[in-house]
Amino acid sequence: MFAVKGVVKTYAWGSKEKDCAVQFFSERQGIVCEEADVPKAELWLGAHPNGPATVAKIVQDERFEERSMDNVLSVQGKGLPFLMKVLSIAAPLSLQLHPDRETAKVLHEEDPEHYTDPYDKPEMCIPLSENFEMFCGFLKAREIYCIAQVVPFIARLIGETMMAKVSKGVHAGKASDDKSLWGSSQSPGISEGEFLKYLMTQFYMVDQKEIETAIEQTLALNVEEVDYSKVKKPKKPMLREFMSSFGGGSSSSGEANKRLVASCFATFCDLQKKYPTDRGCFAAFLLAKHTVKPGQPMGIAANTIHAYLSGECLEIMKCSDNVIRAGLTPKFQDTKKLVELTNYTRYTPAPLKVECEETDAYQLMQIEPHYTESFAMSILKMAAHSTKPLNLSKLIKTPTPNEGQDLSPAEVLCLAGCGLIKVNDVDYRIEAGQCLLLVNQNATTVTPLSEEATEGYMKDGQALVLVFAHGLSEADSPRKRRTSVTASKLVETKLSTLNDQADPKQTDLSPTPEKAAPDDLPAPAEQPLSAPDHPTEKAATEHATTEQAAIEHVGASRTSIVTPGDEAGDVDDEADNATPVVKPASVPKPPPATEEETETEPQMKSAVEEPETVDIEETVDIEGSESATSAVEAL
């Protein structure tokens, strides 16, 4: 058992509030930030080489010298396949997605400068603050159609031809060639995926000068004065539900449309204040915005477009640096790849298998993503009268390793209250904000010590709130491969040292610091995996912006943007407003996404968490991540 001290990252989108989550957790872990006025964005609690946490071994509530978590795991021959972070978000992060596993391998081979490893990066976040806001997935086609009748720029993106097709009906079928649900053989409708991919293609073909003009014109709109009862209906109604969405089915439909447009317009204005000339501001009229309660998990699978907007959260992800950005950032942007890879059937966060168990003594929520085995998370809340130790090893289910896998070390983060953690007869008092690394998860018990949680997050009147993160280490994962090599070199070094000693009995293998932990080996030499800086290049490209060009070829070329001085391989997003340098992007299209993970049968009552959305009348939960068609040939 090791006490963890994380690493604070200070990005421009972070918070300067003295009581923000990053400040709260870092102070309680003994982290001193010398500059008080610096925005604190993230607290990393893992072994990632760009910011490995330090750990101190605990023996009977006593800490020993601090060492890098990466080195400690190397000595043990272990790997940590996930990275847990605390985020304090004061300004929106970039529009982005993370490629699937197969695509990540192709991107790394073709462009290792910007895609620094061949691994996927699934994520999951749990909000810690009230009103946590994020983009995830798309608005429905009928909602965008409604917005287009109020916002001229969106109408110009769609164009008259496509507006006519949309007015005939858009079906939500997964198969792009299934048009029998809408229209007729003479005038068929189109699928949601086809429409959304067409729209995103058009969006990224618009040049920057036109974007800036459109931003000024949109800011001048007065959406409150629009008569929403006169919103144009589809020319050929197909379903009563479709008609009612446009004011033709009930007296309240006009008000629903007004709320939708007003909410999207307010988000647009907020984004424009932070990014005055960024095209990503128009994402407010295209992407689904979600407001999430504290403790409600949100899954982000591969190829899902998303962006955190505001609030504080706990995030867990697979250890990878692969991010494809396309707006709301001065960093490198690969808009062509984002349009090609985006899952256009995703309107909500990815489904999660959530199993809940509640007794008088505790509440336990176990969260298992369908889309990865690299991590899982459990939230445990214990009441004050729970004086009997709770055996976490038996209570929390851990995945069963397959061939080439093993159970990874686990991390325990205290969100509120305090309690007694006992691992293999070693006790440690854990308090709100503190984190522990458990290399061996056997015989782990916990007991609350306080009567009521007086500080922290997600208290709900409980005496102790803990987050337990674990996963499976894969044989080909970057962390596993790196620690295995480091451990092998360490063993070779020790054998060489023993052979060189005249009297092996006098060989001292303990660490050299003042207070060495028993049974520990010396830390191996650091082997940081650094990434080169992005080059500064200047080039200009001209792109077709006509509607017909996009209809003929949805995958038309777009621009990639490089900002001078950016560093490759980051797992973060900065919110600085910088002037980008444009260069042409000509990377071949990678293979489609694959779903390799399979769902396991739950042993307890399961439920799929449905996030709360902002001014969206209907939510469709589509499991899986089938990608949309690569071209709209039927148009």
Side-chain angles (χ1 to χ4, degrees):
M1 181 166 55
F2 298 84
V4 178
K5 180 186 290 186
V7 176
V8 175
K9 298 290 185 176
T10 56
Y11 308 132
W13 52 262
S15 175
K16 295 183 179 180
E17 299 294 331
K18 295 182 179 179
D19 59 347
C20 70
V22 172
Q23 181 70 25
F24 174 84
F25 284 91
S26 60
E27 284 182 352
R28 281 152 183 78
Q29 293 177 17
I31 302 171
V32 178
C33 187
E34 298 179 356
E35 301 181 23
D37 198 37
V38 173
K40 300 171 183 64
E42 298 181 345
L43 177 66
W44 290 17
L45 301 168
H48 195 284
N50 290 344
T54 56
V55 296
K57 188 167 185 178
I58 300 170
V59 177
Q60 293 304 333
D61 210 23
E62 185 177 8
R63 299 189 187 189
F64 290 82
E65 83 287 346
E66 295 180 354
R67 291 167 52 186
S68 169
M69 180 187 293
D70 206 15
N71 290 341
V72 170
L73 293 175
S74 297
V75 172
Q76 308 265 352
K78 298 284 186 177
L80 195 66
F82 60 85
L83 171 63
M84 188 162 60
K85 302 192 297 187
V86 177
L87 279 68
S88 293
I89 304 164
L93 278 68
S94 65
L95 296 175
Q96 60 182 260
L97 64 76
H98 307 296
D100 60 89
R101 184 177 303 181
E102 294 303 317
T103 303
K105 294 179 181 178
V106 175
L107 291 177
H108 178 62
E109 292 175 359
E110 296 176 344
D111 189 5
E113 179 185 356
H114 298 124
Y115 305 102
T116 57
D117 62 69
Y119 307 106
D120 55 335
K121 187 188 173 188
E123 296 178 332
M124 181 174 66
C125 79
I126 297 178
L128 299 176
S129 62
E130 297 287 345
N131 300 321
F132 179 82
E133 294 182 335
M134 65 181 292
F135 286 139
C136 190
F138 291 91
L139 290 171
K140 298 299 181 61
R142 63 173 182 269
E143 294 166 335
I144 297 176
Y145 180 77
C146 171
I147 292 170
Q149 297 175 63
V150 181
V151 181
F153 177 70
I154 303 300
R156 291 201 301 272
L157 285 181
I158 298 176
E160 293 183 3
T161 303
M162 182 62 74
M163 284 286 282
K165 287 181 175 291
V166 175
S167 69
K168 290 184 175 67
V170 179
H171 69 83
K174 293 183 180 180
S176 60
D177 58 348
D178 180 14
K179 301 182 178 66
S180 59
L181 298 176
W182 300 95
S184 63
S185 58
Q186 293 78 20
S187 182
I190 60 173
S191 72
E192 295 258 21
E194 289 172 332
F195 170 69
L196 293 172
K197 187 166 187 176
Y198 161 83
L199 189 58
M200 290 291 284
T201 300
Q202 283 283 73
F203 178 54
Y204 283 107
M205 288 172 64
V206 179
D207 62 38
Q208 181 60 29
K209 185 175 180 180
E210 185 178 348
I211 287 290
E212 294 175 9
T213 301
I215 289 176
E216 294 178 1
Q217 294 174 345
T218 304
L219 288 173
L221 293 176
N222 190 340
V223 297
E224 295 295 329
E225 293 183 356
V226 176
D227 186 356
Y228 290 91
S229 64
K230 296 182 180 180
V231 170
K232 186 171 65 174
K233 305 174 184 177
K235 293 180 180 179
K236 188 172 183 180
M238 298 299 167
L239 286 181
R240 183 179 303 172
E241 174 194 23
F242 188 79
M243 284 293 296
S244 65
S245 299
F246 295 93
S250 66
S251 59
S252 62
S253 297
E255 287 298 319
N257 290 334
K258 183 177 181 179
R259 291 194 303 270
L260 170 67
V261 174
S263 174
C264 293
F265 183 76
T267 302
F268 170 83
C269 294
D270 290 341
L271 293 176
Q272 194 275 335
K273 291 177 182 177
K274 302 290 175 53
Y275 305 93
T277 60
D278 196 303
R279 73 177 62 234
C281 297
F282 286 103
F285 301 116
L286 304 175
L287 303 183
K289 178 181 174 183
H290 306 275
T291 300
V292 196
K293 295 180 180 179
Q296 185 174 356
M298 303 286 280
I300 304 174
N303 301 333
T304 300
I305 187 169
H306 65 283
Y308 297 149
L309 300 178
S310 64
E312 297 176 310
C313 71
L314 179 66
E315 187 180 46
I316 184 171
M317 65 187 68
K318 184 175 180 178
C319 267
S320 170
D321 291 344
N322 284 323
V323 183
I324 301 177
R325 303 179 180 91
L328 302 181
T329 180
K331 285 191 172 185
F332 172 77
Q333 299 183 35
D334 197 341
T335 58
K336 180 179 179 180
K337 283 292 178 290
L338 183 134
V339 172
E340 289 178 351
L341 296 176
T342 295
N343 178 2
Y344 292 100
T345 64
R346 177 67 63 200
Y347 312 105
T348 63
L352 300 168
K353 184 171 71 174
V354 180
E355 301 181 357
C356 300
E357 182 178 346
E358 184 172 359
T359 68
D360 292 338
Y362 65 88
Q363 301 172 10
L364 176 65
M365 179 169 63
Q366 302 194 61
I367 311 160
E368 180 183 341
H370 291 290
Y371 46 87
T372 182
E373 291 182 334
S374 296
F375 58 80
M377 183 177 286
S378 301
I379 301 177
L380 176 66
K381 300 180 180 181
M382 300 187 70
H385 61 267
S386 306
T387 57
K388 184 179 179 180
L390 192 62
N391 192 327
L392 293 182
S393 304
K394 295 182 179 179
L395 185 64
I396 295 179
K397 296 192 305 179
T398 53
T400 302
N402 299 317
E403 184 178 356
Q405 295 178 314
D406 60 26
L407 192 61
S408 77
E411 286 189 310
V412 178
L413 180 65
C414 184
L415 299 183
C418 65
L420 186 67
I421 298 283
K422 186 174 184 179
V423 179
N424 298 329
D425 298 326
V426 178
D427 297 336
Y428 183 75
R429 177 189 172 94
I430 186 170
E431 299 179 354
Q434 295 180 340
C435 182
L436 296 177
L437 173 68
L438 308 182
V439 178
N440 186 352
Q441 302 173 36
N442 296 328
T444 302
T445 63
V446 58
T447 309
L449 296 179
S450 61
E451 295 182 357
E452 182 179 358
T454 56
E455 60 179 359
Y457 295 84
M458 291 192 293
K459 295 178 288 188
D460 295 336
Q462 304 296 321
L464 179 64
V465 182
L466 296 176
V467 167
F468 185 85
H470 56 84
L472 290 176
S473 295
E474 300 180 24
D476 64 342
S477 70
R479 303 283 78 75
K480 183 70 176 297
R481 190 170 66 183
R482 181 186 180 211
T483 54
S484 298
V485 172
T486 307
S488 298
K489 290 183 177 180
L490 179 65
V491 171
E492 293 175 3
T493 302
K494 285 301 168 188
L495 291 176
S496 176
T497 302
L498 286 172
N499 292 332
D500 292 340
Q501 295 288 337
D503 186 1
K505 295 181 181 180
Q506 298 179 2
T507 302
D508 184 8
L509 300 183
S510 61
T512 55
E514 297 180 359
K515 215 171 186 181
D519 300 326
D520 260 355
L521 293 176
E526 287 284 354
Q527 300 179 8
L529 303 179
S530 59
D533 291 342
H534 290 312
T536 301
E537 301 182 21
K538 290 188 176 181
T541 56
E542 294 184 358
H543 302 282
T545 58
T546 61
E547 171 192 353
Q548 188 61 32
I551 294 178
E552 291 176 357
H553 182 45
V554 174
S557 64
R558 233 146 286 99
T559 60
S560 293
I561 302 175
V562 178
T563 301
D566 276 345
E567 291 186 356
D570 288 345
V571 287
D572 56 80
D573 295 279
E574 296 190 34
D576 295 324
N577 294 316
T579 303
V581 179
V582 181
K583 74 169 186 178
S586 58
V587 182
K589 180 179 179 181
T594 58
E595 289 293 333
E596 299 181 4
E597 291 79 19
T598 58
E599 178 181 349
T600 57
E601 291 294 329
Q603 299 180 3
M604 295 184 289
K605 183 178 180 180
S606 299
V608 175
E609 291 287 336
E610 292 292 344
E612 293 188 356
T613 59
V614 176
D615 292 320
I616 297 178
E617 296 181 285
E618 179 185 3
T619 298
V620 176
D621 187 11
I622 301 178
E623 295 199 16
S625 59
E626 296 86 1
S627 25
T629 54
S630 59
V632 192
E633 298 176 352
L635 301 181

